[in-house]
Coordinates of all heavy atoms in Angstrom, one line a residue:
M27 N 12.5 44.3 -40.9 CA 12.2 42.9 -40.8 C 11.1 42.7 -41.8 O 10.1 43.4 -41.8 CB 11.8 42.5 -39.4 CG 12.7 41.5 -38.8 SD 11.8 41.0 -37.4 CE 13.1 40.4 -36.4
S28 N 11.2 41.6 -42.5 CA 10.1 41.3 -43.5 C 9.0 40.6 -42.8 O 9.1 40.2 -41.6 CB 10.7 40.4 -44.6 OG 10.9 39.1 -44.0
E29 N 7.9 40.7 -43.5 CA 6.6 40.1 -42.9 C 6.8 38.6 -42.7 O 6.3 38.1 -41.7 CB 5.5 40.3 -44.0 CG 4.3 40.9 -43.4 CD 3.3 41.1 -44.5 OE1 2.6 40.1 -44.9 OE2 3.2 42.2 -45.0
T30 N 7.5 37.9 -43.5 CA 7.7 36.5 -43.3 C 8.5 36.2 -42.1 O 8.2 35.2 -41.4 CB 8.5 35.9 -44.6 OG1 7.8 36.3 -45.8 CG2 8.6 34.4 -44.5
M31 N 9.5 37.0 -41.8 CA 10.3 36.8 -40.6 C 9.4 37.0 -39.3 O 9.6 36.3 -38.4 CB 11.4 37.8 -40.5 CG 12.8 37.5 -40.9 SD 13.3 35.9 -40.6 CE 14.8 36.2 -39.8
V32 N 8.6 38.0 -39.3 CA 7.7 38.3 -38.2 C 6.8 37.1 -37.9 O 6.6 36.6 -36.8 CB 6.9 39.6 -38.4 CG1 5.9 39.8 -37.3 CG2 7.9 40.8 -38.4
V33 N 6.2 36.6 -39.0 CA 5.3 35.5 -38.9 C 6.0 34.3 -38.4 O 5.5 33.5 -37.5 CB 4.6 35.2 -40.2 CG1 3.8 33.9 -40.2 CG2 3.7 36.3 -40.6
A34 N 7.2 34.0 -38.9 CA 8.0 32.9 -38.4 C 8.4 33.0 -37.0 O 8.3 32.0 -36.2 CB 9.3 32.8 -39.3
L35 N 8.8 34.2 -36.5 CA 9.1 34.4 -35.1 C 7.9 34.2 -34.2 O 8.0 33.6 -33.1 CB 9.7 35.8 -34.9 CG 11.1 36.0 -35.4 CD1 11.6 37.4 -35.2 CD2 12.1 35.1 -34.6
I36 N 6.7 34.7 -34.6 CA 5.5 34.5 -33.9 C 5.2 33.0 -33.8 O 4.8 32.5 -32.7 CB 4.3 35.3 -34.5 CG1 4.6 36.8 -34.3 CG2 3.0 34.9 -33.9 CD1 3.6 37.7 -35.0
G37 N 5.3 32.3 -34.9 CA 5.0 30.9 -34.9 C 6.0 30.2 -34.0 O 5.6 29.2 -33.3
L38 N 7.3 30.6 -34.0 CA 8.3 29.9 -33.1 C 8.0 30.2 -31.7 O 8.0 29.2 -30.9 CB 9.7 30.5 -33.5 CG 10.8 30.0 -32.6 CD1 11.0 28.5 -32.8 CD2 12.1 30.8 -32.9
L39 N 7.6 31.4 -31.3 CA 7.3 31.7 -29.9 C 6.0 31.0 -29.5 O 6.0 30.4 -28.4 CB 7.1 33.2 -29.8 CG 8.3 34.1 -29.9 CD1 8.0 35.6 -29.8 CD2 9.3 33.7 -28.8
G40 N 5.1 30.9 -30.4 CA 3.8 30.1 -30.0 C 4.1 28.6 -29.8 O 3.6 28.0 -28.9
S41 N 5.0 28.1 -30.7 CA 5.3 26.7 -30.6 C 6.1 26.4 -29.3 O 5.9 25.4 -28.6 CB 6.2 26.2 -31.7 OG 5.4 26.3 -32.9
M42 N 7.0 27.3 -28.9 CA 7.8 27.2 -27.7 C 6.9 27.3 -26.5 O 7.0 26.5 -25.5 CB 8.9 28.2 -27.6 CG 10.0 27.9 -28.6 SD 11.3 29.2 -28.7 CE 11.6 29.8 -27.1
A43 N 6.0 28.2 -26.5 CA 5.1 28.4 -25.4 C 4.2 27.2 -25.2 O 3.9 26.7 -24.1 CB 4.2 29.6 -25.5
G44 N 3.7 26.6 -26.3 CA 2.8 25.5 -26.3 C 3.6 24.2 -25.8 O 3.0 23.4 -25.0
S45 N 4.8 24.1 -26.2 CA 5.6 22.9 -25.8 C 5.9 23.0 -24.3 O 5.8 22.0 -23.6 CB 6.9 22.9 -26.6 OG 6.6 22.6 -27.9
L46 N 6.3 24.2 -23.9 CA 6.6 24.4 -22.5 C 5.3 24.1 -21.6 O 5.4 23.5 -20.6 CB 7.1 25.8 -22.2 CG 7.5 26.2 -20.8 CD1 8.6 25.2 -20.3 CD2 7.9 27.6 -20.6
G47 N 4.2 24.7 -22.0 CA 3.0 24.4 -21.3 C 2.6 22.9 -21.3 O 2.2 22.4 -20.2
G48 N 2.8 22.2 -22.3 CA 2.5 20.8 -22.4 C 3.4 20.0 -21.4 O 3.0 19.1 -20.7
V49 N 4.7 20.4 -21.4 CA 5.6 19.7 -20.5 C 5.3 19.9 -19.1 O 5.3 19.0 -18.2 CB 7.1 20.2 -20.8 CG1 8.0 19.7 -19.7 CG2 7.5 19.7 -22.2
L50 N 4.9 21.2 -18.7 CA 4.5 21.5 -17.3 C 3.3 20.8 -16.9 O 3.2 20.2 -15.8 CB 4.4 23.0 -17.2 CG 5.7 23.9 -17.3 CD1 5.3 25.3 -17.2 CD2 6.7 23.5 -16.2
V51 N 2.3 20.7 -17.8 CA 1.0 20.0 -17.5 C 1.3 18.6 -17.3 O 0.8 17.9 -16.4 CB 0.0 20.3 -18.5 CG1 -1.2 19.4 -18.4 CG2 -0.5 21.8 -18.5
S52 N 2.1 18.0 -18.2 CA 2.4 16.6 -18.1 C 3.2 16.3 -16.8 O 2.9 15.2 -16.2 CB 3.3 16.2 -19.3 OG 3.7 14.9 -19.2
A53 N 4.1 17.1 -16.4 CA 4.9 16.9 -15.2 C 3.9 16.9 -14.0 O 4.1 16.1 -13.1 CB 6.0 17.9 -15.1
R54 N 3.0 17.9 -14.0 CA 2.1 18.0 -12.9 C 1.2 16.7 -12.8 O 0.9 16.2 -11.7 CB 1.2 19.2 -13.1 CG 1.3 20.2 -12.0 CD 0.3 21.3 -12.1 NE 1.1 22.6 -12.4 CZ 0.7 23.6 -13.1 NH1 -0.5 23.6 -13.6 NH2 1.4 24.6 -13.2
L55 N 0.7 16.3 -13.9 CA -0.1 15.1 -14.0 C 0.6 13.9 -13.5 O 0.1 13.1 -12.7 CB -0.7 14.8 -15.4 CG -1.5 13.6 -15.6 CD1 -2.8 13.7 -14.7 CD2 -1.9 13.4 -17.0
T56 N 1.9 13.8 -13.9 CA 2.7 12.6 -13.5 C 2.9 12.7 -12.0 O 2.9 11.7 -11.3 CB 4.1 12.6 -14.2 OG1 3.8 12.6 -15.6 CG2 5.0 11.5 -13.8
Q57 N 3.2 13.8 -11.4 CA 3.4 14.0 -10.0 C 2.2 13.6 -9.2 O 2.2 12.9 -8.2 CB 3.8 15.5 -9.7 CG 4.1 15.7 -8.2 CD 5.3 14.9 -7.7 OE1 6.2 14.6 -8.5 NE2 5.3 14.5 -6.5
Y58 N 1.0 14.1 -9.7 CA -0.3 13.7 -9.1 C -0.5 12.2 -9.1 O -0.9 11.6 -8.1 CB -1.4 14.4 -9.8 CG -2.8 14.0 -9.3 CD1 -3.3 14.4 -8.1 CD2 -3.5 13.1 -10.1 CE1 -4.6 14.0 -7.7 CE2 -4.8 12.7 -9.7 CZ -5.3 13.1 -8.5 OH -6.5 12.7 -8.0
R59 N -0.3 11.6 -10.2 CA -0.5 10.1 -10.3 C 0.5 9.4 -9.4 O 0.1 8.4 -8.8 CB -0.4 9.7 -11.7 CG -1.5 10.2 -12.6 CD -1.5 9.8 -14.0 NE -1.9 8.4 -14.0 CZ -1.8 7.6 -15.0 NH1 -1.4 8.1 -16.2 NH2 -2.2 6.3 -15.0
L60 N 1.7 9.8 -9.3 CA 2.7 9.2 -8.4 C 2.2 9.3 -6.9 O 2.4 8.4 -6.1 CB 4.1 9.8 -8.5 CG 4.9 9.4 -9.7 CD1 6.2 10.2 -9.9 CD2 5.2 7.9 -9.6
E61 N 1.7 10.5 -6.5 CA 1.2 10.7 -5.2 C 0.1 9.7 -4.9 O 0.0 9.1 -3.8 CB 0.8 12.1 -5.0 CG 1.9 13.1 -4.9 CD 1.5 14.6 -4.9 OE1 0.3 14.8 -5.0 OE2 2.4 15.4 -4.8
Q62 N -0.8 9.6 -5.9 CA -2.0 8.7 -5.7 C -1.5 7.2 -5.6 O -2.0 6.5 -4.7 CB -2.9 8.8 -6.9 CG -3.6 10.1 -7.0 CD -4.3 10.5 -5.7 OE1 -5.1 9.8 -5.2 NE2 -4.1 11.7 -5.3
L63 N -0.5 6.9 -6.3 CA 0.1 5.5 -6.3 C 0.7 5.3 -4.9 O 0.6 4.2 -4.3 CB 1.0 5.3 -7.4 CG 1.7 3.9 -7.5 CD1 0.6 2.9 -7.7 CD2 2.7 3.9 -8.7
E64 N 1.5 6.3 -4.4 CA 2.1 6.2 -3.1 C 1.1 6.0 -2.0 O 1.3 5.1 -1.1 CB 3.0 7.4 -2.8 CG 4.2 7.5 -3.7 CD 5.0 8.8 -3.5 OE1 4.4 9.7 -2.8 OE2 6.1 8.9 -4.0
R65 N 0.0 6.7 -2.1 CA -1.1 6.5 -1.1 C -1.6 5.1 -1.1 O -1.9 4.4 -0.1 CB -2.2 7.5 -1.3 CG -1.9 8.9 -0.9 CD -3.1 9.8 -1.0 NE -2.7 11.2 -0.8 CZ -3.1 12.2 -1.5 NH1 -3.9 12.0 -2.4 NH2 -2.7 13.4 -1.2
K66 N -1.8 4.5 -2.3 CA -2.4 3.2 -2.5 C -1.4 2.2 -1.9 O -1.7 1.2 -1.3 CB -2.7 2.9 -3.9 CG -3.9 3.6 -4.4 CD -4.2 3.2 -5.9 CE -5.4 3.9 -6.4 NZ -5.8 3.5 -7.8
V67 N -0.1 2.4 -2.2 CA 0.9 1.5 -1.7 C 1.0 1.5 -0.2 O 1.1 0.5 0.5 CB 2.3 1.8 -2.3 CG1 3.5 1.1 -1.6 CG2 2.3 1.5 -3.8
Q68 N 0.9 2.7 0.4 CA 0.9 2.8 1.9 C -0.3 2.1 2.5 O -0.1 1.4 3.5 CB 0.9 4.3 2.3 CG 2.2 5.0 2.1 CD 2.1 6.5 2.3 OE1 1.0 7.0 2.5 NE2 3.2 7.2 2.3
A69 N -1.5 2.2 1.9 CA -2.6 1.5 2.4 C -2.4 0.0 2.3 O -2.8 -0.7 3.2 CB -3.9 2.0 1.6
H70 N -1.9 -0.4 1.2 CA -1.6 -1.8 1.0 C -0.6 -2.3 2.0 O -0.8 -3.4 2.6 CB -1.1 -2.1 -0.4 CG -0.6 -3.5 -0.7 ND1 -1.5 -4.5 -0.8 CD2 0.6 -4.0 -0.7 CE1 -0.8 -5.7 -1.0 NE2 0.4 -5.4 -0.9
N71 N 0.4 -1.6 2.3 CA 1.4 -2.0 3.2 C 0.9 -2.0 4.7 O 1.2 -2.9 5.4 CB 2.6 -1.0 3.2 CG 3.5 -1.2 2.0 OD1 3.4 -2.2 1.3 ND2 4.3 -0.2 1.7
R72 N 0.0 -1.1 5.0 CA -0.7 -1.1 6.3 C -1.5 -2.4 6.4 O -1.6 -3.1 7.5 CB -1.5 0.1 6.5 CG -0.7 1.3 6.9 CD -1.6 2.5 7.4 NE -2.6 2.9 6.5 CZ -2.4 3.9 5.6 NH1 -1.3 4.5 5.5 NH2 -3.4 4.2 4.7
L73 N -2.2 -2.7 5.3 CA -3.0 -3.9 5.3 C -2.2 -5.2 5.5 O -2.5 -6.1 6.3 CB -3.8 -4.0 4.0 CG -4.7 -5.3 3.9 CD1 -5.8 -5.4 4.9 CD2 -5.2 -5.4 2.5
I74 N -1.1 -5.3 4.9 CA -0.2 -6.4 5.0 C 0.4 -6.5 6.4 O 0.4 -7.6 7.0 CB 1.0 -6.3 4.0 CG1 0.5 -6.4 2.6 CG2 2.1 -7.4 4.3 CD1 -0.2 -7.6 2.2
E75 N 0.7 -5.4 7.0 CA 1.2 -5.4 8.4 C 0.1 -5.8 9.4 O 0.4 -6.6 10.3 CB 1.7 -3.9 8.8 CG 3.0 -3.5 8.1 CD 3.3 -2.0 8.4 OE1 2.6 -1.4 9.2 OE2 4.3 -1.6 7.8
R76 N -1.1 -5.4 9.2 CA -2.2 -5.8 10.0 C -2.5 -7.3 9.9 O -2.7 -8.0 10.9 CB -3.4 -5.0 9.7 CG -3.3 -3.5 10.2 CD -4.5 -2.6 9.9 NE -5.8 -3.3 9.9 CZ -6.8 -2.9 9.1 NH1 -6.7 -1.9 8.3 NH2 -7.9 -3.6 9.1
T77 N -2.4 -7.7 8.6 CA -2.6 -9.2 8.4 C -1.6 -10.0 9.1 O -1.8 -11.0 9.7 CB -2.6 -9.4 6.9 OG1 -3.7 -8.7 6.3 CG2 -2.9 -10.9 6.6
Y78 N -0.3 -9.6 9.0 CA 0.8 -10.3 9.6 C 0.6 -10.3 11.1 O 0.8 -11.4 11.7 CB 2.1 -9.6 9.3 CG 3.3 -10.3 9.9 CD1 3.8 -11.5 9.4 CD2 4.0 -9.7 11.0 CE1 4.9 -12.1 9.9 CE2 5.1 -10.3 11.5 CZ 5.5 -11.5 11.0 OH 6.6 -12.1 11.6
K79 N 0.2 -9.2 11.7 CA 0.0 -9.2 13.2 C -1.2 -10.1 13.6 O -1.1 -10.9 14.6 CB -0.3 -7.8 13.7 CG 0.9 -6.9 13.7 CD 0.6 -5.5 14.1 CE 1.8 -4.6 14.0 NZ 1.5 -3.2 14.3
L80 N -2.3 -10.1 12.7 CA -3.4 -11.0 13.0 C -3.0 -12.5 12.9 O -3.4 -13.3 13.7 CB -4.5 -10.7 12.0 CG -5.3 -9.4 12.3 CD1 -6.3 -9.2 11.2 CD2 -6.1 -9.5 13.6
E81 N -2.2 -12.8 11.9 CA -1.7 -14.2 11.8 C -0.8 -14.6 13.0 O -1.0 -15.7 13.5 CB -0.9 -14.3 10.5 CG -1.7 -14.3 9.3 CD -0.9 -14.3 8.0 OE1 0.4 -14.2 8.0 OE2 -1.5 -14.5 6.9
E82 N 0.0 -13.7 13.5 CA 0.8 -14.0 14.7 C -0.1 -14.2 15.9 O 0.0 -15.2 16.6 CB 1.7 -12.8 15.0 CG 2.9 -12.7 14.2 CD 3.8 -11.6 14.6 OE1 3.3 -10.6 15.2 OE2 5.0 -11.6 14.2
R83 N -1.1 -13.4 16.1 CA -2.1 -13.6 17.2 C -2.9 -14.9 17.0 O -3.1 -15.6 18.0 CB -3.0 -12.4 17.2 CG -2.4 -11.1 17.8 CD -3.3 -9.9 17.7 NE -4.5 -10.1 18.5 CZ -5.6 -9.3 18.4 NH1 -5.5 -8.2 17.7 NH2 -6.6 -9.6 19.2
S84 N -3.2 -15.2 15.8 CA -4.0 -16.4 15.6 C -3.1 -17.6 15.9 O -3.6 -18.6 16.5 CB -4.4 -16.5 14.1 OG -5.0 -17.7 13.8
E85 N -1.8 -17.6 15.6 CA -0.9 -18.7 15.9 C -0.8 -18.9 17.4 O -0.8 -20.0 18.0 CB 0.4 -18.5 15.3 CG 0.5 -18.7 13.8 CD 1.8 -18.3 13.2 OE1 2.8 -18.2 13.9 OE2 1.9 -18.2 11.9
V86 N -0.7 -17.7 18.1 CA -0.6 -17.8 19.6 C -1.9 -18.4 20.2 O -1.8 -19.3 21.1 CB -0.3 -16.4 20.2 CG1 -0.5 -16.4 21.7 CG2 1.1 -15.9 19.8
Q87 N -3.0 -17.9 19.7 CA -4.3 -18.5 20.2 C -4.4 -20.0 19.9 O -4.9 -20.7 20.7 CB -5.5 -17.7 19.6 CG -5.6 -16.2 20.0 CD -5.7 -16.1 21.5 OE1 -6.4 -16.8 22.2 NE2 -5.0 -15.1 22.0
E88 N -4.0 -20.4 18.7 CA -4.1 -21.8 18.4 C -3.2 -22.6 19.3 O -3.5 -23.7 19.8 CB -3.7 -22.0 16.9 CG -4.7 -21.6 16.0 CD -4.3 -21.6 14.5 OE1 -3.2 -22.2 14.2 OE2 -5.1 -21.2 13.6
E89 N -2.0 -22.1 19.6 CA -1.1 -22.8 20.6 C -1.7 -22.9 21.9 O -1.7 -23.9 22.6 CB 0.3 -22.1 20.6 CG 1.3 -22.7 21.5 CD 1.6 -24.2 21.1 OE1 1.6 -24.4 19.9 OE2 1.9 -25.0 22.0
K90 N -2.3 -21.8 22.4 CA -3.0 -21.8 23.7 C -4.1 -22.8 23.7 O -4.3 -23.6 24.7 CB -3.5 -20.4 24.1 CG -2.5 -19.4 24.5 CD -3.1 -18.1 24.8 CE -2.1 -17.1 25.2 NZ -2.7 -15.8 25.6
L91 N -4.9 -22.9 22.6 CA -6.0 -23.8 22.5 C -5.5 -25.3 22.5 O -6.1 -26.1 23.2 CB -6.8 -23.6 21.2 CG -8.0 -24.4 21.0 CD1 -9.0 -24.1 22.2 CD2 -8.7 -24.0 19.7
R92 N -4.4 -25.5 21.9 CA -3.8 -26.9 21.9 C -3.4 -27.2 23.3 O -3.6 -28.4 23.8 CB -2.6 -27.0 21.0 CG -3.0 -27.2 19.5 CD -1.8 -27.5 18.7 NE -0.8 -26.4 18.5 CZ -0.9 -25.5 17.6 NH1 -1.8 -25.5 16.7 NH2 0.0 -24.5 17.5
A93 N -2.8 -26.3 24.0 CA -2.3 -26.5 25.4 C -3.6 -26.8 26.3 O -3.5 -27.7 27.1 CB -1.5 -25.3 25.9
V94 N -4.6 -26.0 26.1 CA -5.8 -26.2 27.0 C -6.4 -27.6 26.6 O -6.8 -28.3 27.6 CB -6.8 -25.1 26.7 CG1 -8.2 -25.4 27.3 CG2 -6.3 -23.8 27.3
N95 N -6.5 -27.9 25.4 CA -7.1 -29.3 25.0 C -6.2 -30.4 25.6 O -6.8 -31.4 26.0 CB -7.2 -29.4 23.5 CG -8.3 -28.6 22.9 OD1 -9.3 -28.3 23.6 ND2 -8.2 -28.2 21.7
H96 N -4.9 -30.2 25.6 CA -4.1 -31.2 26.2 C -4.3 -31.4 27.7 O -4.4 -32.5 28.2 CB -2.6 -30.9 25.9 CG -1.6 -31.9 26.4 ND1 -1.6 -33.2 25.9 CD2 -0.7 -31.8 27.4 CE1 -0.6 -33.8 26.5 NE2 -0.1 -33.0 27.4
R97 N -4.4 -30.2 28.3 CA -4.7 -30.2 29.8 C -6.1 -30.9 30.1 O -6.2 -31.7 31.0 CB -4.7 -28.8 30.4 CG -3.2 -28.3 30.4 CD -3.2 -26.8 30.8 NE -3.7 -26.6 32.1 CZ -4.0 -25.4 32.6 NH1 -3.7 -24.3 31.8 NH2 -4.4 -25.2 33.8
I98 N -7.1 -30.6 29.3 CA -8.4 -31.2 29.5 C -8.3 -32.7 29.3 O -8.9 -33.5 30.0 CB -9.4 -30.6 28.5 CG1 -9.7 -29.2 28.9 CG2 -10.7 -31.4 28.5 CD1 -10.6 -28.4 27.9
G99 N -7.6 -33.1 28.3 CA -7.4 -34.5 28.0 C -6.7 -35.2 29.2 O -7.1 -36.3 29.6
D100 N -5.7 -34.5 29.8 CA -5.0 -35.1 30.9 C -5.9 -35.2 32.1 O -5.9 -36.2 32.8 CB -3.8 -34.2 31.3 CG -2.6 -34.3 30.3 OD1 -2.7 -35.3 29.5 OD2 -1.7 -33.5 30.4
L101 N -6.8 -34.2 32.3 CA -7.7 -34.2 33.4 C -8.8 -35.3 33.2 O -9.1 -36.0 34.2 CB -8.4 -32.9 33.6 CG -7.5 -31.7 34.1 CD1 -8.3 -30.4 34.1 CD2 -7.1 -32.0 35.5
E102 N -9.3 -35.5 32.0 CA -10.2 -36.5 31.7 C -9.6 -37.9 32.0 O -10.3 -38.8 32.5 CB -10.8 -36.4 30.3 CG -11.7 -35.3 30.1 CD -12.1 -35.1 28.6 OE1 -11.4 -35.7 27.7 OE2 -13.1 -34.4 28.4
E103 N -8.4 -38.1 31.6 CA -7.7 -39.3 31.8 C -7.5 -39.6 33.3 O -7.6 -40.7 33.7 CB -6.3 -39.3 31.0 CG -5.7 -40.7 31.0 CD -4.4 -40.6 30.2 OE1 -4.4 -40.0 29.1 OE2 -3.4 -41.2 30.6
A104 N -7.1 -38.5 34.0 CA -6.9 -38.7 35.5 C -8.2 -39.1 36.2 O -8.2 -39.8 37.2 CB -6.4 -37.4 36.1
M105 N -9.4 -38.6 35.7 CA -10.6 -38.9 36.3 C -11.1 -40.3 36.0 O -11.7 -41.0 36.8 CB -11.7 -37.9 35.8 CG -11.6 -36.5 36.3 SD -12.8 -35.4 35.8 CE -14.3 -36.1 36.6
R106 N -10.6 -40.9 34.9 CA -11.0 -42.3 34.5 C -10.2 -43.3 35.4 O -10.7 -44.4 35.6 CB -10.6 -42.5 33.1 CG -11.6 -41.9 32.2 CD -11.4 -42.3 30.7 NE -11.9 -41.3 29.9 CZ -11.3 -40.8 28.8 NH1 -10.1 -41.3 28.4 NH2 -11.8 -39.9 28.1
T107 N -9.0 -42.9 35.9 CA -8.2 -43.9 36.7 C -8.5 -43.8 38.1 O -9.2 -43.1 38.7 CB -6.7 -43.6 36.4 OG1 -6.4 -42.3 36.8 CG2 -6.4 -43.9 35.0

């Protein structure tokens, strides 16, 4: 084998190893970033669920308050007559 062939094969092997290493590192980084994004989305979804539950509770409390105010009004009116 000539010297040029050996140098070319070494260069080819080096290029292949570098490319493979780059692809693997890039895939690992992408996987890590996806996991981080999934965690953020889960936290956001939990926040939305908690907000929805709080809004439901708030509506129930407001309805109860309206009912109590109505009853107080009825009692005040009954005391006037």
Side-chain angles (χ1 to χ4, degrees):
M27 240 190 204
S28 71
E29 229 177 83
T30 308
M31 260 328 233
V32 171
V33 169
L35 286 174
I36 291 173
L38 176 65
L39 291 175
S41 295
M42 286 175 40
S45 295
L46 180 62
V49 168
L50 292 176
V51 168
S52 176
R54 241 187 247 150
L55 178 61
T56 301
Q57 182 64 30
Y58 171 77
R59 293 183 73 188
L60 281 173
E61 288 171 0
Q62 297 303 313
L63 182 59
E64 287 172 353
R65 286 186 186 139
K66 287 182 181 182
V67 168
Q68 287 173 353
H70 174 74
N71 288 344
R72 283 193 302 269
L73 176 66
I74 295 300
E75 288 172 6
R76 287 176 36 209
T77 302
Y78 180 73
K79 288 177 182 177
L80 287 173
E81 287 174 350
E82 283 181 338
R83 288 175 58 190
S84 175
E85 288 175 14
V86 168
Q87 294 300 323
E88 288 174 5
E89 181 60 34
K90 286 180 180 180
L91 186 59
R92 280 191 291 271
V94 166
N95 284 335
H96 183 66
R97 289 172 62 191
I98 290 172
D100 289 347
L101 291 172
E102 287 174 344
E103 190 177 316
M105 288 180 68
R106 285 187 207 137
T107 57

